[in-house]
Amino acid sequence: MPRKLTPGELIIATHNDGKLHEITALLGPYGVTPVSAGQLGLSEPAEIGTTFAENALIKARAAVAATGRVALADDSGLGVAALDGAPGVYTADWAEKRSFEGGPGRDWYMAMGKVEGKLAELGADVDRSARFFSTLALVWPDGHHGLFEGSVSGSLVWPPRGQKGFGYDPVFMIDGDTRTFAEMDPAQKQKIDHRADAFAKLVAAVF
Ligand code: ITT
């Protein structure tokens, strides 16, 4: 029988505020109070896995090791069909700025431009379909864990549109809609995105 999560504080092993907002909203109805690794000042582990599941487990286990408490991590990314699933597990890496580009940090417009540049090389009628993926890892202090995977299908637009959301939201349009995720009200996006899909599976298992 899957292990249940008891109400109270839950460590969210993320330093990404966009994710934290979505996870906080998703957890709202379940009596769980999120406390993030960023808020606790925990260091970020190296994400050396080659799958979303491996990296989600790395992040959740690092937070459990640092706090001795149950932790939830999300590893997510964008897979572009015409790029054989890239950037995939390396989605955040494509946004990393090098020192000659203005110091450490992430530039999402650069990352979206990189994806678009690679699509443009494949021609004007390139397949623009893409998927967002999320894997949630929930890890208990005794090592027990659960993994929950979600995804949504859509297509990439160019130029980027919208000011809401985070990351690659301005170029992703979910199937059946004409707005990018960054043009949607965040409360609506977080009900239908890849994280919500993974979260529904988590909820069914642990609450
Ligand atoms: P943590 O590891 O601290 O949680 P991160 O930003 O490094 O944060 P990932 O390694 O999982 O997270 O990288 C996934 C990237 O994919 C992330 O930085 C986002 O920019 C992008 N991404 C994931 N979910 C997204 C969403 O809902 N909308 C837009 N971009 C998203």
Side-chain angles (χ1 to χ4, degrees):
M1 185 168 152
R3 191 177 296 187
K4 300 294 175 190
L5 200 54
T6 45
E9 282 192 357
L10 177 66
I11 309 296
I12 312 299
T14 186
H15 291 75
N16 180 318
D17 287 341
K19 282 187 190 182
L20 182 62
H21 283 129
E22 289 198 7
I23 292 170
T24 299
L26 290 164
L27 284 169
Y30 302 99
V32 172
T33 309
V35 183
S36 80
Q39 288 161 345
L40 293 174
L42 306 185
S43 56
E44 293 187 58
E47 297 184 34
I48 55 172
T50 56
T51 64
F52 295 119
E54 283 173 8
N55 281 339
L57 282 169
I58 286 170
K59 291 185 271 194
R61 285 175 175 149
V64 170
T67 63
R69 292 153 69 187
V70 188
L72 174 68
D74 161 285
D75 200 63
S76 43
L78 180 73
V80 182
L83 304 182
D84 299 324
V89 76
Y90 305 105
T91 296
D93 298 341
W94 282 32
E96 291 300 337
K97 290 192 287 184
R98 304 285 173 258
S99 53
F100 60 84
E101 286 161 336
R106 289 175 174 173
D107 181 339
W108 295 107
Y109 277 81
M110 178 188 79
M112 291 185 281
K114 189 168 169 184
V115 170
E116 185 59 24
K118 288 186 182 292
L119 283 179
E121 283 170 18
L122 298 173
D125 56 355
V126 65
D127 174 8
R128 301 188 66 85
S129 57
R131 258 189 125 77
F132 258 134
F133 296 92
S134 162
T135 297
L136 297 171
L138 190 57
V139 176
W140 278 261
D142 66 357
H144 182 82
H145 74 262
L147 284 170
F148 310 94
E149 296 182 344
S151 71
V152 286
S153 178
S155 57
L156 297 178
V157 305
W158 195 259
R161 300 193 327 236
Q163 303 297 322
K164 301 167 192 154
F166 64 99
Y168 290 71
D169 281 339
V171 291
F172 188 84
M173 199 166 67
I174 193 168
D175 287 344
D177 211 299
T178 55
R179 296 163 299 170
T180 67
F181 271 169
E183 292 175 309
M184 264 181 206
D185 178 12
Q188 184 183 4
K189 181 224 164 186
Q190 69 204 19
K191 286 192 186 116
I192 59 172
D193 71 5
H194 45 305
R195 203 160 288 106
D197 187 35
F199 200 79
K201 293 165 193 169
L202 179 148
V203 165
V206 306
F207 289 118

